[in-house]
Amino acid sequence: MTATPALNTETSPATSGDSSRTRHLGPLLPARLRPPDRPRLWVELVCTGLLYWAYTLTRNAVPAHRSAALHRAQDILRAEQELHLNIELTINHAADRVGWLIVGMNYYYATLHFIVTIGVLLWLYGRHGERYRPVRTALYTATLLALAGFAFCATAPPRFLPGQGFIDTVVVHHTWGSWASGDVAALSNQYAAMPSVHIIWSSWSGLTLAFLARRTWVRVLGLCYPLATFTVILATANHFVTDAVAGAATLAVGFLIQQLLTGRPAYPGVCGIRSGHRLEA
């Protein structure tokens, strides 16, 4: 009987290096610019202030983009109709028939967008300091990409389209304090529909809870949150399905850029890379 030569299972250094480069993206930043600990609180406050300043610039540019924003919204609606994706009007009218439901959705749209995102950021900063930088970087990057979209590709929400039958649920039900209508609208960009920041922030919040929370019910709640937000933005006629898809894609690009910069995934266990960090809630 002829012996079969044993397979060499060892990997040469060159092959190992190629495999590592295949699995890992980056880092593009030097080690001194990607420390493992969380940043100082004042640094985060400054970053938040700069983001709001950038948002203010896009808001002030709205009057010059109004006509183009309405045309883009019409184009999106026609494209969705051809692809049979135009479910916004049906959901908008169905939700509007139930008074307490649509009023609740109006308040959901106006408040949870900020409350949940800030709450998750604070929880992440306090309980998962070793993960704060990469996860926060993905959020900030996606938000900046969205602001660039608002500045160069302003798009109107469905509720602004004349003759299409969409109901502005905040105006109809006189919901107090909404960023979408009334006096408070002067503080918000009314033509910032593409991509949907509500989807970017809710998906980021949901993924962060799903990956890092210890309790199962918190993880499940995190996964349900962006799905609920998707329903709300359609029911209140603030976004098209296309806006939501663009928001999800923008967040994915934010995570990709984050990994290119730091060389590690934002969450433990992503891309088959094991993490030694213990999950805590």
Side-chain angles (χ1 to χ4, degrees), residues 15 25 54 81 135 142 153 222 224 233 239 243 252 270:
T15 304
L25 298 174
Q81 289 171 343
V135 178
C153 191
C224 291
I233 65 175
H239 288 282
D243 302 335
V270 177

Side-chain angles (χ1 to χ4, degrees), residues 137-204:
T137 298
L139 174 67
Y140 283 12
T141 301
T143 302
L144 285 173
L145 291 173
L147 291 180
F150 302 157
F152 297 104
C153 191
T155 306
R159 60 191 173 86
F160 279 4
L161 294 182
Q164 298 297 335
F166 288 103
I167 301 170
D168 189 334
T169 58
V170 170
V171 171
V172 170
H173 296 277
H174 308 288
T175 305
W176 176 84
S178 173
W179 292 82
S181 300
D183 295 335
V184 188
L187 301 176
S188 63
N189 186 343
Q190 296 295 286
Y191 298 91
M194 170 71 82
S196 169
V197 170
H198 274 74
I199 292 299
I200 293 174
W201 288 10
S202 65
S203 298
W204 175 88

Side-chain angles (χ1 to χ4, degrees), residues 10 38 42 55 68 101 107 188-189 209 235 279 281:
E10 295 182 357
R38 62 189 165 205
W42 71 266
Y55 174 78
L101 176 62
Y107 284 117
S188 63
N189 186 343
L209 293 175
L279 296 182

